[in-house]
Amino acid sequence: MESNSTLTHPQGIAFQLRFMDYNSTVVNPTNLIYDSNATNINTTALLIPLTTISDGNFTKETAGALYTISRFNYDRNVTQPRNPFETSFKELNIECLNAADCLMQANLSAAYEPKGERAMDFNVTYAYGRIVPRDVRVFGNVGFTANAWYEVFNAPILAGAGLAPSRTPQWFINARHNDNNDGDGNITRIQNNSNATVTTVNMGSAEVNGIETYTFGAIAPTYSGKAHINADPWLWFGTNALDYSDPSNANLDCRTHPCFNINVVPNIGTAGSSTNTQTLGSDKANKATSGTGVTYDYTPATR
């Protein structure tokens, strides 16, 4: 497969960036798409716009430098995870989109066209990922934290590193996850179930070992609410999920983005109680006791 990209010289001459010999072990490689600035372009269209080269990139009259980021992703089904797969990149060619615009004279001939090429020869492993928040129940009027896990499907080893299993079979906690490179999930709306009040927030933290932490102040019992997470679309998964859409005052549908429930009840001591209706998988409730003797119950979030 071959795909290319249009670059523009500051003097108006167009260049072409071309990925050659795009091979993949995927049964149907046509599901690979190009992703740049949230715009998806199927590689079958061949043209991939990247960027305009500014004058500052040309440090000399005949030499320059260009730094740009190109991201490839695959056409992802939000309800059906897939096994990891690998793609390989072999060669990078740069040449003028219109050869006549770039001809140079040498050896008394004006028919020389400048071209550049470089062997790439590297592989990229794609793993199906998700962000998984879990419901939290708090006993007492105290500050608390809630968590979400970044996980990958059927990838016990990723980029040479072993990953710990999650609470759900075939899913593994992606301790290699990086918010800047791999996507982020922050709470942007909190909905009070009793009076339907929606509060706009921006809550999240840098991930640690594949875990996102959300820190809440004390909430007086009795309280019931739902937190809505704004995540990158490639982190969205649910067995009954719809296409991803950011949470907003007009979109509080947890079939379109990750959500978790928050319940605050009067403190009943450290013994606590836990009941759980399983909505996904076979997860079991995980109870933890804070240093203040208040019990938190983490149960599978409804997605």
Side-chain angles (χ1 to χ4, degrees), residues 22-29 31-33 72-76 82-88 123-128 153-155 158:
Y22 185 70
N23 301 316
S24 173
T25 57
V26 184
V27 175
N28 181 16
N31 70 344
L32 292 171
I33 56 177
F72 282 85
N73 210 336
Y74 58 91
D75 193 5
R76 189 175 178 278
R82 60 173 303 150
N83 291 326
F85 62 92
E86 186 178 85
T87 59
S88 60
N123 297 328
V124 175
T125 298
Y126 290 83
Y128 188 103
F153 181 75
N154 206 19
L158 188 62

Side-chain angles (χ1 to χ4, degrees), residues 130-135 149 151 165-173 237 239 274-287 298-303:
R130 69 176 183 178
I131 182 172
V132 184
R134 300 180 76 83
D135 294 345
W149 283 258
E151 299 180 353
S166 76
R167 294 181 176 92
T168 309
Q170 291 188 282
W171 290 90
F172 295 82
I173 301 171
F237 164 79
T239 55
S274 172
T275 60
N276 172 38
T277 300
Q278 299 296 324
T279 57
L280 286 178
S282 57
D283 296 352
K284 294 182 179 179
N286 179 35
K287 294 194 295 184
Y298 290 91
T299 58
T302 301
R303 298 186 293 279

Side-chain angles (χ1 to χ4, degrees), residues 169-188:
Q170 291 188 282
W171 290 90
F172 295 82
I173 301 171
N174 185 11
R176 300 180 63 91
H177 181 94
N178 178 283
D179 283 351
N180 293 329
N181 297 330
D182 305 322
D184 197 7
N186 294 325
I187 298 173
T188 58

